[in-house]
Amino acid sequence: MQKKLTITVDADVYDGLHAVIGRRKISRFLSDLARPHVVGKDLRAGYAAMAADETREREASEWAEGLIADVADEPRRHG
């Protein structure tokens, strides 16, 4: 779920965000930047626990490798 937030920044920061990040990408950029500082460590611990599950990681890797192989084997279409 997303929430709307109005913030105030210096004009040079505003101009830099538009120039470097892009008009429609600023909200995502700021959210990603703030997330590690404000989201509880429970989420981080959950990701660490999932990564520590060797069976799950092996199955995920096999699935991804299989998907890559399937795509690589597809005939190429020439426009």
Side-chain angles (χ1 to χ4, degrees):
M1 178 163 93
Q2 293 182 338
K3 297 276 189 166
K4 186 172 182 174
L5 173 69
T6 302
I7 62 171
T8 303
V9 296
D10 292 332
D12 57 339
V13 172
Y14 179 84
D15 293 340
L17 286 168
H18 278 270
V20 176
I21 305 304
R23 180 174 285 291
R24 301 270 182 218
K25 300 176 184 176
I26 295 172
S27 291
R28 176 69 179 252
F29 173 77
L30 294 176
S31 181
D32 290 347
L33 186 64
R35 181 176 302 282
H37 301 283
V38 297
V39 173
K41 294 184 181 190
D42 292 339
L43 182 60
R44 203 172 304 159
Y47 283 132
M50 287 185 342
D53 183 345
E54 293 178 10
T55 301
R56 182 186 176 283
E57 287 297 305
R58 184 179 68 262
E59 290 171 353
S61 180
E62 290 170 359
W63 176 83
E65 292 297 323
L67 183 62
I68 291 169
D70 289 347
V71 171
D73 292 339
E74 285 185 6
R76 306 255 192 279
R77 292 186 184 178
H78 298 284

